[in-house]
Amino acid sequence: MSRYHEIKHRVATTFQRHVGNPILGRLPSQPILETTGRRSGLPRSTPIGGRRVGRSFWIVSEFGEKSQYVRNIQADPRVRLRLKGRWHTGTARLLPEDDARARLKTLPTVNSAAVRAIGTNLLTIRIDLDD
């Protein structure tokens, strides 16, 4: 990763951790992804943007395998997802072969624009919902 991308990643994740996520996590309509911490074993919640299509929920990670929630998924793909105030269980799958830029065109516009602007290593993730 270039020095520019490293700085961009550090600034974005610091902002998300201390400003964006605490605010977004309180909004009842905001989708929340809950993973299991790969080291702690504790639930880890992350506000995300994406779209449900049938029994799947699609998201694009702006930092790919550098994202903490992606690392948690790699360790344990079982997740919970809060959609419209209701929790669902599912299995997350990383899809590096998917065209993440094309996928963003099918997802909510504002979130997709932010992911494109901030992202340095886009990665598509599909969550197959149990219910």
Side-chain angles (χ1 to χ4, degrees), residues 74-124:
Q74 288 173 315
D76 181 358
R78 296 294 303 158
V79 299
R80 288 191 338 139
L81 183 64
R82 187 185 79 182
L83 298 173
K84 298 179 182 176
R86 183 168 171 251
W87 286 97
H88 304 267
T89 58
T91 304
R93 306 202 189 290
L94 307 182
L95 303 172
E97 69 281 357
D98 190 67
D99 182 346
R101 289 203 176 278
R103 179 69 55 194
L104 284 171
K105 292 177 183 175
T106 70
L107 302 179
T109 307
V110 173
N111 182 74
S112 293
V115 170
R116 269 192 299 278
I118 296 168
T120 58
N121 186 23
L122 304 181
L123 175 64
T124 302

